[in-house]
């Protein structure tokens, strides 16, 4: 150590020593709590009240009743409704789980070729609205879909299948849910320590036994989690049952709520709220059960030295069969639908009997771009995706700071409150905000504006964004905050200048996720749509009803292209990772 | 610079009592170490001083200013206490360069521009890190990070510096160097320092005074020499340095000496203390390095010399640590050569080297 003579000459002035406690802080903590409670309760409160009110909320006199539930359960179609919903859930969930788990293991753990490309395509539909998948399915596998007619021409069977049936719409819904299953199981399959399997192999176990006794049980938390998320998604599923069920009169719980609350001439608000409450309770119970079951999932963490190269299973002669089957799923389940949409958007009519080149046109896009209503829909979608996601990220950030990084008395409560909307289906958020706008004085100013949509979207996806920011925040040591505090920084300065910059990647990820979710959201908008605040999803639905298929296809293509562009910008430019 | 007075500080978490009536005063410019095993309450005490944890009862004053008083309802938040604290993890903000890390603490105090730059240069020069001002913490080695963390603690001239096991993340060689350097730095700056560690070597080498803590209580306060040579309890004797601690019965008492009977019938002699009467079972200790081995001349008091059975020895580089049995009690001693198990040994336990603890 070289000899030194320097000593610190003077003391720096003390930080504003006053009463020794800051007054702004508790105020901000309470304000954030209040904001969070308001976001969660504004849609739920009026909904709850309406479910027990004998008259529409705007005429409410203060009496409560169970009549709405009596009416609901006394409906002649209630048994069919429950049966349909149950059967739909069963088929969609089984399809999604079986294909999702199998495909996740195949692309994560086996040595088939082109695994990276296959994985990307398999996960890609996550970024697309189920509405778009529904349209794609109709263009491809509907009665006049190009693959259906192709099969008819080749085999001579006039109607090889009918997707306008309960099993048809359940399968298509399962197809749209499968990428979510793949996503949840993929990271679990990838994170597994291959030595666990090698140990079983050395002990003499066959590949099938290893799969059954080691690989699948080790994935159990992911399996339980995806099962729960699948049930929630199936219960919430709305777009595909609406598109495929309505023409043949098949109703599920969600489409029933939509019909009664929206399309029926004089909506029975009490009945709709009662049905919504039933759906809400079902989903809440599921989410609670899933949280309870997974509370000890750390048992399934495999520990071991990190950084070993992922070992894949050698499938031997089966390799090409498995590759073929996976490719067939990718081609028929994803590529064909998107191809159908793209093709349809550039032609006047899509049929195997007509050469597409002969009917090639840009008219669909002209129709979209020269119609002020569609132009506005595109502009609104972009605006709400970027602005709404920004506002959402700011709100989520503030909530996370208070819930995770403050000595606020109710921090734990805040942490739970922000996650409540996880149990609230988009349709219910939409209905709740719709009631809130009617019922809460002052909110009616927001009616029919983009603000009310942004409000509903943020509520709906609050838990998703928080789910990205909170775990990232937990990983940042609180010593950083303590060091700043002791050095004289207030809580707010610490959050703004220390914690927030460290968490920049998490905030960017949150922003990107919200943006994509907002882009494809439709259910939360459904009751709030008015001319003027239309978004692409709503415009597609509205164009579908009178049969403007070409416009629907080109809007879908525009949505897909814009989402992909945003995704590209964020993953390339900012290195944002949305999964894994 | 300031003095520190802690009065009757207690901390309970639910039904658990983490601190019992801790009282302590630290003089201006003093280097005081809180020493104890993990869970003894030393870090809780430090956090209470920093304001990171609020005690349940008591009072703390720094430089005459009360920063905590339960009865008066005073609890000054950390940012208003004007202290410096260095964390075990260093807690260097990873998104700021070394320069920015130091500048942040000055910025809060309204010191910016040339004044801040001068001060930062001064602090970095003090820890010999001025060449690394533009680096990010992730680009520095453990030892360099430790210096930067110290510079960040010192740059705004805090009244009191709190150090929480600052050397525990360094490897053994570097730790020795950093210890000497830290001591030197503290002497030079003269800042009142409270240092927390579980490492008795660090405590002995660094401190003006050591506060030994166990199970939430202050056990003994004293200079390193006092703590090492006159431990007041078997716990301190055992925790600081290595020690042979054994039970014995007082067989006889003269003016200056006690005759003690070990289990197994061997009698040894020890200096007399108050409160050890004939018939009492007491605890006593002797340091391994104080036990003499080999043949002794005429001057050796017969009552101090014994023949013991060697149980074996372990080589430790500079010396062999050997174990022998005297009566039914096992002792450890040190010498240059190894011994074979079963070998007979001449051992001498000098009377003045034995430390008898009063019965509690």
């Amino acid at each position: 150590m070289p000899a030194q003579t320097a000593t610190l000459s003077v003391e720096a002035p003390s930080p504003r020593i006053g009463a020794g406690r800051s007054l702004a802080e508790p105020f901000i903590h309470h304000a954030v709590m209040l904001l969070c409670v308001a976001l969660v309760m504004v849609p739920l409160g009026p909904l709850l009240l309406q479910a027990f009110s004998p008259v529409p909320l705007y005429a409410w006199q203060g009496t409560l009743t169970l009549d709405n539930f009596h009416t609901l359960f006394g409906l002649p179609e209630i048994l069919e409704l429950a049966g349909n919903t149950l059967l739909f859930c069963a088929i969609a969930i089984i399809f999604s789980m079986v294909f999702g788990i199998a495909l996740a293991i195949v692309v994560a753990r086996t040595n088939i070729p082109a695994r990276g490309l296959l994985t990307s395509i398999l996960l890609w539909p996550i970024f697309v609205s189920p509405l778009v998948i529904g349209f794609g399915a109709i263009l491809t596998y509907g009665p006049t879909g190009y693959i259906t007619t192709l099969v008819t021409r080749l085999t001579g069977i006039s109607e090889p299948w009918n997707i306008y049936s309960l099993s048809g719409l359940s399968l298509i819904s399962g197809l749209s849910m499968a990428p979510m299953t793949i996503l949840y199981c993929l990271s679990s399959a990838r994170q597994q320590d291959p030595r666990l399997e090698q140990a079983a192999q050395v002990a003499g176990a066959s590949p099938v036994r290893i799969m059954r006794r080691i690989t699948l049980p080790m994935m159990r938390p992911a399996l339980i989690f995806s099962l729960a998320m699948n049930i929630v998604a199936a219960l919430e599923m709305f777009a595909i049952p609406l598109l495929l069920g309505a023409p043949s009169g098949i109703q599920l719980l969600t489409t029933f709520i939509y019909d009664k609350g929206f399309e029926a001439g004089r909506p029975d608000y009490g009945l709709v709220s009662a049905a919504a409450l039933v759906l809400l309770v079902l989903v809440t119970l599921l989410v609670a059960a899933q949280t309870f079951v997974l509370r000890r999932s750390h048992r399934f963490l495999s520990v071991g030295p990190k950084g070993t190269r992922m070992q894949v299973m050698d499938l031997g002669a089966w390799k090409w069969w498995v590759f073929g089957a996976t490719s067939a799923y990718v081609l028929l389940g994803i590529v064909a639908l998107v191809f159908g949409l793209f093709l349809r958007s550039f032609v006047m009519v899509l049929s195997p009997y007509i050469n597409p080149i002969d009917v090639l046109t840009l008219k669909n896009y002209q129709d979209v771009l020269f119609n002020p209503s569609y132009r506005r829909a595109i502009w609104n979608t972009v605006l709400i995706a970027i602005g709404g996601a920004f506002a959402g990220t700011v709100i989520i950030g503030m909530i996370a700071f208070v819930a995770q990084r403050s000595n606020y008395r109710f921090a734990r409560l805040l942490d739970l409150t922000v996650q409540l909307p996880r149990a609230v289906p988009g349709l219910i958020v939409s209905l709740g905000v719709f009631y809130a706008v009617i019922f809460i004085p002052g909110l009616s100013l927001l009616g029919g504006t983009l603000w009310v949509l942004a409000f509903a979207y943020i509520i709906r996806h609050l838990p998703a964004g928080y789910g990205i920011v909170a775990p990232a925040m937990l990983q940042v040591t609180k010593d950083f905050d303590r060091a700043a505090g002791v050095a004289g920084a207030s809580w707010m300065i610490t959050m703004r200048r220390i914690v927030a910059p460290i968490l920049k990647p998490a905030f960017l990820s949150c922003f990107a996720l919200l943006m994509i979710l907002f882009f494809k959201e439709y259910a939360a908008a459904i009751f709030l749509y008015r001319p003027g605040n239309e978004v692409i999803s709503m415009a597609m639905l509205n164009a579908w009803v009178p049969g403007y298929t070409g416009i629907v296809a080109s809007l879908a293509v525009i949505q897909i292209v814009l989402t992909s562009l945003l995704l590209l910008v964020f993953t390339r430019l900012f290195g944002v990772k949305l999964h894994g | 610079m300031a003095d520190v007075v802690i009065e009757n500080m207690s901390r309970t978490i639910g039904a658990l009592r983490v601190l019992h009536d801790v009282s302590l005063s630290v003089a201006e410019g003093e280097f005081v170490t809180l020493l104890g095993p993990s869970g003894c309450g030393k870090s809780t005490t430090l956090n209470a001083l920093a304001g990171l944890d609020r005690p349940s009862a008591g009072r703390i004053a720094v430089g005459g200013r009360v920063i905590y008083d339960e009865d008066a309802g005073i609890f000054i938040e950390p940012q208003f206490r004007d202290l410096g604290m260095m964390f075990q993890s260093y807690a260097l903000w990873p998104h700021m360069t070394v320069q920015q890390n130091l500048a942040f603490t000055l910025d809060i105090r309204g010191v910016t521009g040339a004044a801040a730059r001068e001060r930062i240069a001064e602090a970095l020069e003090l820890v010999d890190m001025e060449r690394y001002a533009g680096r990010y913490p992730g680009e520095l080695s453990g030892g360099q990070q430790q210096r930067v963390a110290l510079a960040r603690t010192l740059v705004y001239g805090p009244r009191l510096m709190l150090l929480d096991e600052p050397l525990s993340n360094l490897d053994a060689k570097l730790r020795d160097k950093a210890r000497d350097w830290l001591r030197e730095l503290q002497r030079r700056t003269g800042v009142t320092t409270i240092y927390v560690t579980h490492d008795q070597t660090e405590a002995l080498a660094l401190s003006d005074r050591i506060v030994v803590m166990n199970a939430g209580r202050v056990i003994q306060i004293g200079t390193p020499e006092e703590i090492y040579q006159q431990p007041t309890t078997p716990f301190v004797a055992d925790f600081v340095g290595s020690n042979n601690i054994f039970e014995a019965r007082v067989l006889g008492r003269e003016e200056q000496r006690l005759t003690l009977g070990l289990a197994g019938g061997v009698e040894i002699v020890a200096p007399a203390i108050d409160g050890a009467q004939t018939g009492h079972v007491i605890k006593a200790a002797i340091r391994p390095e104080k036990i003499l081995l080999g043949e002794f001349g005429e001057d050796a008091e017969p009552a101090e010399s014994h023949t013991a059975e060697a149980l074996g020895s372990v080589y430790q580089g500079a010396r062999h640590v050997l174990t022998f049995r005297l009566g039914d009690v096992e002792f450890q001693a040190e010498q240059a050569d190894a011994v074979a198990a079963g070998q007979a040994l001449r051992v001498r336990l000098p009377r003045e080297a034995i430390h008898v603890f009063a019965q509690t």
Side-chain angles (χ1 to χ4, degrees):
Chain A
M1 198 74 31
Q4 289 169 351
T5 47
T7 48
L8 288 170
S9 39
V10 278
E11 285 183 42
S14 297
R16 297 154 294 276
I17 294 175
R21 51 183 305 120
S22 41
L23 296 170
E25 247 169 66
F27 174 75
I28 288 166
H29 294 171
H30 284 305
V32 169
M33 181 81 196
L34 213 65
L35 172 74
C36 183
V37 169
L39 280 177
V40 174
M41 287 321 291
V42 160
L44 287 186
L47 184 73
L48 282 174
L49 199 57
Q50 178 65 80
F52 294 99
S53 160
V55 291
L57 271 188
Y58 49 78
W60 190 52
Q61 299 293 327
T63 46
L64 294 177
T65 171
L66 283 176
D67 283 355
N68 294 321
F69 292 92
H70 286 302
T71 317
L72 175 67
F73 291 112
L75 284 176
E77 66 262 41
I78 189 75
L79 274 181
E80 200 197 335
L81 193 64
N84 278 350
T85 308
L86 214 62
L87 192 62
F88 164 79
C89 285
I91 299 175
I93 293 163
I94 290 172
F95 182 94
S96 163
M97 288 293 284
V98 168
F99 280 88
I101 296 166
L103 289 165
I105 293 178
V106 163
V107 295
R109 304 305 306 272
T110 69
N111 66 339
I112 63 163
R115 287 186 300 145
L117 179 68
L118 288 175
T119 313
S120 303
I121 303 179
L122 281 170
L123 287 178
W124 181 80
I126 286 183
F127 304 116
V128 183
S129 153
L131 210 53
V132 170
I133 295 186
F135 291 133
I138 292 173
L139 292 176
T140 317
Y141 298 111
T144 57
Y146 72 98
I147 288 193
T148 315
T149 30
L150 202 65
V151 168
T152 304
R153 198 157 72 158
L154 290 176
T155 61
I157 304 166
S158 69
E159 197 188 323
W161 52 70
N162 177 18
I163 58 166
Y164 288 98
S165 64
L166 187 60
S167 51
L169 69 91
S170 306
L171 284 176
I172 304 291
S173 299
L175 185 72
S176 81
M177 281 149 51
M180 181 184 72
T181 313
I182 298 175
L183 177 67
Y184 292 138
C185 295
L186 195 63
S187 47
S188 165
R190 273 184 187 153
Q191 277 161 16
Q192 253 180 64
D193 188 345
R195 272 158 303 196
L196 294 173
E197 282 154 10
Q198 285 163 6
Q201 210 175 354
V202 172
S206 69
V208 176
R209 186 183 280 264
I210 292 174
M211 182 63 68
R212 208 160 47 87
R213 298 293 303 276
I214 310 283
T215 312
L216 283 178
M218 278 301 292
M219 285 172 67
R220 201 154 80 198
L223 297 185
I224 296 173
F225 185 73
S226 20
L227 179 63
M229 294 318 279
N230 266 301
I231 302 177
V232 172
L235 279 175
E236 284 187 32
M237 179 60 73
F238 170 60
I240 294 170
L242 183 72
L243 292 180
L244 298 178
S248 45
I250 302 167
Q251 268 190 343
L252 305 182
L253 193 48
T254 43
T255 44
F256 171 80
I257 293 171
Y258 175 71
D259 277 353
K260 290 284 177 217
F262 199 62
E263 292 198 322
R266 197 173 160 278
D268 184 343
Y269 290 130
L271 184 68
V272 172
S273 305
L277 202 60
V278 170
L279 181 61
L280 184 65
V281 168
L282 280 177
V283 177
T284 309
L285 285 178
L286 265 165
V287 171
Q290 173 235 317
T291 314
F292 179 74
V293 170
L294 288 181
R295 77 199 181 286
R296 277 188 309 206
S297 55
H298 58 82
R299 256 174 50 204
F300 298 93
L301 286 180
S302 73
V303 288
K306 296 269 184 261
T308 46
R309 239 188 89 243
M310 188 70 212
Q311 288 236 339
V312 293
M313 251 179 283
D314 191 346
L315 293 177
W318 284 91
K319 186 168 127 179
W320 294 104
W321 287 104
V322 172
F323 174 68
T326 310
S327 306
Y329 178 93
V330 165
L331 281 178
L332 294 176
I334 300 167
V335 177
L337 307 193
V338 181
F339 178 72
L341 279 173
F342 265 84
L343 201 57
R344 181 62 187 83
S345 74
F346 287 107
V347 296
M348 293 304 294
V349 57
L350 184 60
S351 158
Y353 299 102
I354 302 166
N355 184 350
I357 309 285
D358 298 339
V359 283
L360 212 56
T361 176
L362 282 175
K363 185 173 180 307
N364 296 322
Y365 288 95
Q366 274 170 12
D367 286 349
V368 167
L369 295 177
F370 287 109
N371 182 323
S373 159
Y374 293 137
R375 269 213 315 267
R376 202 162 51 225
I378 296 169
W379 174 238
N380 280 347
T381 308
V382 172
L383 208 62
I384 203 169
I386 293 174
F390 181 76
T393 307
V394 170
I395 292 173
I396 287 165
M398 289 196 306
I399 292 174
F401 284 143
V402 178
Q404 305 272 345
R405 290 271 162 181
S406 77
N407 50 9
Y408 182 46
R409 240 180 321 155
F410 305 115
R412 180 85 193 108
L413 187 68
L414 182 62
D415 180 64
L416 290 175
T417 311
V418 66
Q419 302 190 49
L420 275 183
R422 195 149 80 88
V424 188
L427 193 66
I428 309 296
V429 171
S430 189
L431 191 62
V433 172
F434 175 65
Y435 286 154
V437 168
I438 299 176
F439 186 59
I440 299 176
L443 277 190
S444 57
L445 282 176
L446 293 180
T449 64
L450 266 190
W451 295 100
V452 77
L453 281 190
F455 186 55
Y457 283 17
I458 289 172
I459 295 170
R460 163 106 167 102
H461 297 295
L462 211 52
Y466 188 73
I468 284 192
V469 174
M473 206 177 266
L474 272 178
Q475 282 176 358
V476 176
T477 170
K478 285 194 175 151
D479 275 0
F480 291 144
D481 313 32
R482 296 196 189 103
V486 174
S490 68
W491 180 79
M492 283 206 287
I493 290 182
T494 307
M495 289 305 121
R496 195 163 53 83
R497 292 190 49 187
I498 305 288
V499 183
I502 293 174
L503 281 170
K504 205 166 87 187
F507 284 125
L508 271 175
S509 294
C510 173
F511 177 69
L513 178 77
L514 288 186
M515 204 163 62
I516 281 154
L517 288 173
F518 287 8
F519 228 98
K520 67 177 214 177
E521 182 61 57
Y522 63 97
I526 210 115
F527 287 99
L528 303 171
Y529 152 80
R530 301 281 178 282
N533 73 350
E534 54 267 90
V535 286
I536 296 181
S537 304
M538 293 312 302
M540 279 196 286
L541 258 183
N542 286 335
W544 182 256
V545 177
Y548 300 145
T549 319
I551 288 177
V552 172
S554 48
L555 280 171
V557 168
I558 289 171
Q559 194 177 28
I560 289 173
V561 168
L562 284 177
T563 314
S564 307
L565 270 178
L566 286 177
L567 210 61
L568 201 71
V569 165
F570 266 79
T571 45
R572 287 290 140 81
L573 240 59
F574 302 112
V576 167
K577 273 188 178 167
L578 285 174
H579 53 80
Chain B
M1 311 307 130
D3 60 323
V4 179
V5 180
I6 300 177
E7 290 167 19
N8 305 101
M9 185 167 75
S10 295
R11 173 79 168 104
T12 48
I13 299 173
L16 195 72
R17 198 119 190 244
V18 191
L19 284 184
H20 293 264
D21 267 339
V22 169
S23 293
L24 174 69
S25 62
V26 178
E28 201 173 306
E30 201 178 11
F31 193 119
V32 168
T33 299
L34 306 181
L35 174 68
S38 58
C40 73
K42 55 188 192 296
S43 294
T44 313
T45 308
L46 199 73
N47 285 339
L49 275 165
L52 297 173
D53 184 58
R54 183 175 181 152
S56 317
R59 186 172 180 277
I60 305 173
V62 174
R65 173 174 169 237
V66 175
I67 52 172
Y68 166 69
D69 189 337
E70 189 64 38
D71 297 333
I74 297 173
F75 178 80
I76 308 289
E77 285 174 20
Q79 75 251 34
F80 301 112
R81 292 194 175 190
D82 202 17
L83 311 174
M85 180 161 177
M86 184 174 158
F87 293 78
Q88 192 174 0
S89 62
Y90 308 140
L92 293 174
W93 302 306
H95 60 298
M96 299 180 178
T97 61
V98 168
Q99 172 93 18
Q100 288 165 342
N101 260 279
L102 270 64
F104 177 74
T105 66
L106 292 174
D107 187 17
I108 292 163
R109 292 170 165 73
V111 181
T112 50
R117 278 197 298 279
E118 195 178 319
R119 219 163 222 300
I120 292 166
E122 213 174 304
L124 286 178
E125 199 189 323
L126 200 60
V127 299
D128 204 21
M129 286 293 292
E130 60 272 41
R131 281 171 300 130
Y132 298 92
R135 297 270 191 99
Y136 282 93
E139 300 166 347
L140 301 175
S141 72
Q144 291 169 334
Q145 288 183 20
Q146 185 242 351
R147 283 155 181 250
V148 173
L150 197 68
R152 191 181 69 184
T153 318
L154 286 169
V155 70
Y156 52 91
R159 304 183 297 157
L160 169 66
M161 185 160 68
L162 307 172
L163 305 175
D164 187 5
E165 310 226 8
L167 305 182
S168 62
N169 282 335
L170 302 179
D171 59 59
K173 198 105 195 170
L174 204 55
R175 190 155 55 216
D176 289 349
K177 261 176 92 174
R179 197 176 58 207
D180 298 342
W181 167 81
L182 186 65
R183 182 68 181 133
E184 226 272 299
L185 191 71
Q186 195 270 338
R187 294 271 144 83
R188 213 145 18 99
T189 54
V191 58
T192 314
T193 303
I194 297 182
Y195 186 97
V196 158
T197 184
H198 62 267
D199 183 334
Q200 38 108 7
T201 329
E202 271 173 30
L204 291 173
L206 284 168
S207 324
D208 293 322
R209 280 191 304 151
I210 296 175
V211 178
V212 184
M213 296 184 70
N214 190 33
R217 293 174 202 275
V218 172
I219 307 293
Q220 187 177 358
I221 302 180
T223 64
E225 291 79 10
E226 283 166 357
I227 297 287
Y228 191 81
Q229 284 161 14
Q230 286 134 37
T232 52
T233 69
F235 171 80
V236 177
D238 190 32
F239 193 76
V240 181
S242 49
N243 226 330
N244 296 295
I245 296 179
F246 53 93
E247 272 193 352
R249 181 178 291 276
V250 181
L251 298 176
R253 183 183 171 116
E254 289 159 43
E255 205 153 311
Q256 287 300 314
R257 61 189 260 167
L258 298 174
T259 306
L260 305 177
L262 301 182
V266 175
E267 290 181 14
I268 62 171
V269 285
I273 61 152
D274 297 339
Q277 300 300 330
T278 306
H280 284 173
V281 174
I282 49 88
K283 279 196 169 165
I286 182 166
R287 300 238 174 236
E289 72 267 20
K290 293 286 174 68
I291 297 178
L292 306 174
L293 298 152
E295 286 304 325
F296 312 109
E298 290 301 307
D299 60 320
E301 200 180 325
E304 290 182 350
S305 304
H306 309 274
T307 303
E309 182 199 359
L311 298 175
S313 62
V314 177
Y315 185 49
Q316 292 206 332
R319 60 193 191 273
H320 288 266
V321 172
L322 56 95
T323 313
F324 63 84
R325 184 149 55 202
L326 192 58
D328 286 342
V329 183
E330 284 180 16
F331 287 88
Q332 289 195 323
E334 296 171 355
Q335 72 168 16
D337 306 314
V339 294
Q343 189 184 329
L345 280 181
R346 287 293 290 162
V347 300
R348 183 176 163 200
L349 309 180
R351 178 165 57 110
E352 293 306 325
I354 294 178
H355 193 86
V356 178
F357 299 103
Q359 250 185 340
T360 46

